[in-house]
Amino acid sequence: MTAQENVRPPLGQAERGRTTRSPVAASGSQSLARSTGVRAASRAGRPDRLATGWVAIGPALVTLVVTLYRIGVPSFTRDEGATLLAVHRSFPQMIRMLGNVDVVHTEYYAVIWVVSRLAGSSELAARAPSAVALAVTAGVVTLLGQRLVSGRAGLAAGLLFAAFPSVSFFAEDAREYGLVTALATIASYFLIRALQAGTPEADGTEPTVVGPRHAAGPQGQRGVPGGRSPGLALIGYAAAMALLGLGNILSLLLIAAHAVTVAVWHRFYRGPGQPFVLRWLASVAAAVIVASPVAIIASRQAHQVQWIKPPGLVAIVAMTGLIGPQPMFYIVVAVVVLALAASLVSGRARLRADWPAGLWGLAVPWLFLPPALLFTVSVIHVTHPLYVFRYIAFCIPAAALLAGTALAALARTAVGWAVAVAALAVIVVAGLGAQASERLPAGHGYDIRLADQAVASRARPGDALMNVRYWPLSWGGGVERGMEGEYPYGLARLHDISQARAPAPSGTLGGTFARPPVENRRLAAVTRLWVASWSKAPSPLPPRLGFTVAYTLHTKGVWLRLYTRPHTAATGSATGQPAG
C-alpha cells in the first residue's frame, strides 16, 4: 500500500463527498476504473478482497493441475505428428521447410523446437507448453473478470475455464491452439487496461447505482482514471496481437471483435476519444505488419487447406464444443439465462451492476464474431473454405467470462453463494464424462501408440514399411509419415520403401513419395510388409504381388496391416512375373 493510500479518507467518506467520478467507475462495475491508487469496494464499503492479482494464481494453478492430469496417456494425433516431423530436424532445415509448408505454425514450431532440445519429445514434454499456456490464460481470465465486473466474477470465470473439457483437450495437444488462446486473452486484457486508462472522466456527478463501487482516484490527476496513460497498455496490446498473428494468422479475426469492444466503450462510457482510437488502430496496424510476411507466404501454401470442406449445420452445432459436450453447454446457457433474469427482476440498476457494458462489450463479440466471420467466408467462398473448429479455440475464454459473471450475479441473490456454488458444481459434474474420455489412450481421436506397439512386438529383421498416401496432392508427402515419426519404436525402425527423399533433405514435412516403379523394385526382396494408413478403410495390395494378410489392426484413426509372402513369390514379383 502506498503512502497516498494511507492518508485517503475511508471509502464511505469519499463517496459522500463531491469527487470527480469516471463514468466507468459509475457504471456499477467493481473494477472498470481500477488503476494505481484506486481500490475496489463492496456494497458495504469494504474492499473487494477477491479483486487482487494474487487471486488469479488460484485458477491458474487449478487449470495447470487439471490439464497435466494424465496428459501423457492419450496417444499422439496426426496433427501432433506433424509437429514432431517439423521439429525433428535442425533449425535451419526447419526454416527451409516452412518456406514450403506449414508457415502458419512458425511461431509454435520454434517454441517446440527449443522444448524438444531441452526436454525431449515425449507426450508430456511436447504438450506441456500448451498446458502452461492455458494455465496462464485462466489467470488472465480471472484478471479480466476482476477489472470488468468483480473479484468474485473473475474467480468464478477462472475456475470455470479450468472445468471446461475443451480446455483440457487443447492443453493435451502439441499444437499452437493453447498458445494462441493465451495470446488472445492477454491482448484482450491489455485492451481493457488501455480503455480504462483512456476513458475521460465525467463532470463530477455520481449517479446512484446498485452494486460495488470504487473510491475516487488520486486528486489532481484528471483525464483518465488514476492518471495513467494508455500508451504502455497499447504497446503490450500491439505486441500480443503481433504474436497472435504469428501464432495463427486466422486468430487476427479477434481484431474485429475488439473493434466492437472499443465502440461499446465509447457508447456506454463516453470514451475513449478519437486520439485513443487512432492509437489503437496504429497498434493493430503494427501487429498486422509484423504478421504479414507469414500471411503472404501462407497464401502460396493454400494447397494445404484443400481438405477443408464448406461448413454446414453440423459445424454450427459443434461450436457448443467451445465449452464441452452439449449437455454441459446447455447447463451453462441455462445458468447465464437464469442469472440475467434474476438481475433483470431486481431492477435496471442491478442489471447494469451485474452485467456491465464493458463485460458484454468484450466477451460477446469475442465469442461470436470470429467464428461467424470465418464461417461466413467459408460458406460464401470468398476464399477456399477455412472454417475448422480448432481455429476458433481462442474464443473459449469469452465463454468463461460470461459464465463466471453469471455465477457472480447468482451469488448476489437472496440465497447468495449457495446457488452459485451449486451451479458451479453442476457444470463441473456435467463435464466429467468428457474430461475422462479425453484422457483415454484414444481420447483425441487416434491411437497411433497402439499401432507402434503392435509393430514393435511383431516385427522381424528385414520387415519393410509402406505408407499410403491419403491426400492426392501435387506437393508430395505430408503428415502420412507422422505415424512413424511419433514414437521411436515400431514403425520408425522399419525400412520405408515408399519414401523417395527424407523430410529434412526434401524441405517437406514428411518427405516425398517414391514413384510406383521404384516401389516395385524395392519390393523385390520383401517378404513381410507393413502397410500403415490414416484412411477409413484398409489399403489392399494388388494380388499379383503374392502377399496375403497376416495381421490387421484397426485402432481409432489408424489402419495397420502386415502382409507376408513366400520368398519365391518375392523373386517372381521382382522379375515382373505373376506372383502366387
Side-chain angles (χ1 to χ4, degrees), residues 512-557:
T512 58
F513 281 93
R515 297 172 61 85
V518 176
E519 285 187 352
N520 289 335
R521 286 198 300 270
R522 293 174 178 176
L523 277 171
V526 174
T527 59
R528 289 169 54 89
L529 178 67
W530 293 89
V531 178
S533 69
W534 305 103
S535 55
K536 296 181 179 179
S539 301
L541 293 178
R544 65 179 179 79
L545 296 178
F547 283 100
T548 58
V549 178
Y551 173 78
T552 298
L553 173 66
H554 180 210
T555 183
K556 199 168 184 180

Side-chain angles (χ1 to χ4, degrees), residues 64-85:
L64 186 62
V65 170
V66 169
T67 55
L68 287 178
Y69 174 65
R70 293 172 63 86
I71 193 172
V73 173
S75 169
F76 278 128
T77 66
R78 186 170 65 190
D79 283 352
E80 289 178 303
T83 298
L84 297 177
L85 285 170

Side-chain angles (χ1 to χ4, degrees), residues 15 180 183 202 270 327 353 358-359 487 514 542:
E15 288 179 337
V180 166
L183 290 169
R270 300 196 294 278
L359 177 278
Y487 296 99

Side-chain angles (χ1 to χ4, degrees), residues 121-136:
S121 53
S122 65
E123 290 93 340
L124 174 60
R127 293 168 176 167
S130 296
V132 172
L134 288 170
V136 171

